[in-house]
């Protein structure tokens, strides 16, 4: 699914405040400065691409800044890739380095450290794209991430051009992908990025075996999260999709004190719990909630939910309504 956010329906005097608040919700809290704050125009299209969040922005010149005071330990630890798709140049500033980016060029920055990003520094409207994802999806050590922050990755011939063209194609078509296609394309994007960055760092091997194992676990879990609604989701199918043996998949989860089937079941139950407390889904029967989360049998779901939460799902939903009403 893709979510479109535009300033077109916002009164001109309120648009810049809207952009600031929306940016904090979509990414992380930031300061925003624009050259035309009284009549700012912009359009943001956010989509999920497997475990990655992708946002395509068509915007007037703007500068966003994340300060030390805005960063808390509760904030998610995320890595952002910033790509210029069309229009004016942009600058990414972090850790004492600046990367000036033209069309097809990109840079990384870390949301847990202060940064500044200026879009349209040549006073032209611009289209940019951001990927935001957990840094564990790329097998980079913390020092490796710092080494790459605000480093311009050029769209050079060969691997550089392939990376840029692939990412630009994603930017142009991201809202058209099915969930299955999105999961596959996110894995492909990460593989291409890893190969490109390996060349940039002039290394042949990415991190320690533990780094690679953890990156694989996060990728597999992201795939499972994307396919929880599929009642046919199984350890065998997950292993086949990731081109690994079933035994290796079980060992990957065993090393974390988990089982594959148990993790799938717990994620489904948690999604059901959230849906049962969501007012926008109040008209959905409990059986429909269970089915949309991948439970083929309503009876099995009811037993599993009661074992996990101490109440049958219908009673849990009624209790949640009472609690929410009291809170209001």
């Amino acid at each position: 699914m893709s979510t479109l956010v535009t300033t077109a329906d916002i009164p001109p005097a309120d648009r810049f405040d809207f952009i600031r608040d929306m940016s904090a919700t979509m990414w992380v809290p930031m300061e925003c400065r624009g050259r035309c704050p009284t009549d700012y125009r912009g359009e943001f299209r956010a989509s999920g691409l497997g475990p990655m969040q992708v946002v395509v922005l068509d915007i007037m010149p703007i500068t966003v800044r994340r300060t030390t005071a805005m960063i808390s330990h509760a904030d998610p630890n995320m890595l952002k890739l910033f790509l210029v798709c069309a229009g004016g140049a942009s600058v990414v500033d972090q850790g004492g380095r600046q990367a000036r980016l033209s069309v097809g060029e990109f840079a990384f920055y870390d949301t847990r450290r202060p940064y500044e990003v200026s879009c349209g520094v040549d006073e032209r409207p611009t289209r940019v794209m951001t990927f935001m994802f957990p840094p564990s999806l790329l097998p980079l050590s913390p020092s490796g991430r710092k080494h790459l922050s605000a480093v311009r990755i050029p769209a050079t011939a060969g691997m550089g051009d392939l990376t840029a063209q692939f990412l630009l194609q994603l930017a142009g078509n991201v809202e058209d992908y099915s969930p299955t296609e999105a999961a596959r394309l996110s894995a492909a994007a990460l593989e291409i990025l890893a190969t490109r960055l390996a060349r940039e760092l002039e290394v042949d091997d990415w991190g320690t075996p533990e780094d690679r194992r953890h990156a694989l676990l996060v990728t597999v879990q992201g795939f499972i999260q994307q396919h929880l609604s599929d009642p046919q989701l199984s350890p065998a199918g997950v292993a086949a999709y990731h081109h690994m043996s079933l035994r290796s998949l079980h060992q990957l989860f065993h090393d974390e004190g988990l089982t594959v089937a148990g993790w799938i079941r717990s994620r489904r139950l948690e999604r059901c719990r959230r849906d049962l407390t969501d007012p926008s889904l109040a008209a959905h029967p409990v059986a429909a909630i269970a089915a949309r989360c991948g439970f083929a049998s309503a009876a099995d779901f009811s037993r599993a939910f009661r074992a996990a939460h101490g109440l049958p799902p219908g009673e849990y939903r009624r209790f949640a309504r009472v609690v929410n009403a009291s809170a209001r």
Side-chain angles (χ1 to χ4, degrees):
M1 294 182 63
S2 180
T3 301
L4 175 66
V5 179
T6 178
T7 61
D9 299 325
I10 307 297
D14 298 332
R15 287 177 180 173
F16 210 73
D17 288 339
F18 172 78
I19 290 290
R20 184 191 61 244
D21 295 342
M22 184 276 301
S23 298
T25 301
M26 189 172 290
W27 293 293
V28 290
M30 297 177 286
E31 295 177 351
C32 298
R33 301 193 307 274
R35 293 169 179 80
C36 300
T38 57
D39 187 20
Y40 192 84
R41 295 182 298 278
E43 186 172 284
F44 303 71
R45 190 174 296 278
S47 304
L49 191 69
M52 310 167 78
Q53 179 216 54
V54 183
V55 183
V56 180
L57 307 88
D58 288 288
I59 48 176
M60 296 172 66
I62 191 172
T63 295
V64 298
R65 183 168 174 255
R66 184 156 162 82
T67 65
T68 301
M70 292 178 166
I71 300 170
S72 76
H73 292 295
D75 290 337
N77 182 19
M78 305 295 277
L79 197 62
K80 289 178 73 172
L81 181 153
F82 182 95
L83 169 70
V84 178
C85 302
S90 297
V91 174
V92 174
D93 188 326
Q94 186 171 59
R97 283 194 298 267
Q98 283 191 344
R100 184 181 177 94
L101 308 174
S102 299
V103 174
E105 299 178 336
F106 64 91
F108 289 92
Y109 53 101
D110 190 335
T111 64
R112 293 297 293 271
R113 296 192 293 130
Y115 62 79
E116 183 174 286
V117 177
S118 298
C119 303
V121 292
D122 46 8
E123 304 296 331
R124 288 191 291 158
T126 185
R127 167 174 279 200
V128 300
M129 178 176 69
T130 66
F131 284 91
M132 188 165 73
F133 53 91
S136 58
L137 292 183
L138 286 178
L140 285 170
S141 65
S143 61
R145 292 199 296 273
K146 286 186 178 180
H147 180 76
L148 276 175
S149 291
V151 171
R152 170 178 162 269
I153 309 295
T156 52
M159 193 64 211
D161 184 59
L162 170 65
T163 306
Q165 291 304 315
F166 183 82
L167 295 177
L168 287 168
Q169 285 293 319
L170 285 183
N173 302 286
V174 68
E175 64 191 69
D176 298 326
Y177 307 131
S178 70
T180 300
E181 291 169 335
R184 291 175 177 171
L185 286 168
S186 69
L190 289 165
E191 184 64 30
I192 290 172
L193 284 172
T195 304
R196 179 70 182 92
L197 296 178
R199 174 170 293 188
E200 196 67 25
L201 292 173
E202 298 182 349
V203 296
D204 296 321
D205 190 26
W206 279 96
T208 66
E210 178 62 22
D211 291 334
R212 293 191 294 273
R213 189 201 65 78
H214 183 65
L216 178 59
L217 176 66
V218 172
T219 301
V220 168
Q221 289 179 334
F223 172 83
I224 290 172
Q225 293 272 32
Q226 289 291 318
H227 293 82
L228 288 177
S229 61
D230 181 2
Q232 303 302 315
L233 181 67
S234 67
V238 173
Y241 178 85
H242 290 89
H243 307 290
M244 60 193 303
S245 70
L246 184 58
R247 181 177 179 179
S248 296
L249 177 67
H250 284 306
Q251 186 62 50
L252 185 67
F253 277 71
H254 176 76
D255 291 344
E256 299 292 322
L258 305 168
T259 67
V260 185
W263 200 81
I264 293 173
R265 194 175 186 83
S266 69
R267 293 302 89 201
R268 281 176 168 158
L269 286 170
E270 174 57 22
R271 181 169 293 182
C272 285
R273 187 197 66 78
R274 293 201 312 269
D275 286 355
L276 288 169
T277 60
D278 186 344
S280 68
L281 299 176
H284 287 60
V286 169
I289 295 289
R292 65 186 267 142
C293 295
F295 284 97
S297 166
D300 286 346
F301 164 65
S302 183
R303 284 192 294 271
F305 191 91
R306 182 168 189 163
H309 299 289
L311 290 172
E315 289 186 27
Y316 187 94
R317 172 184 259 180
R318 287 190 291 273
F319 178 75
R321 287 174 181 168
V322 171
V323 170
N324 289 338
S326 299
R328 289 194 296 269

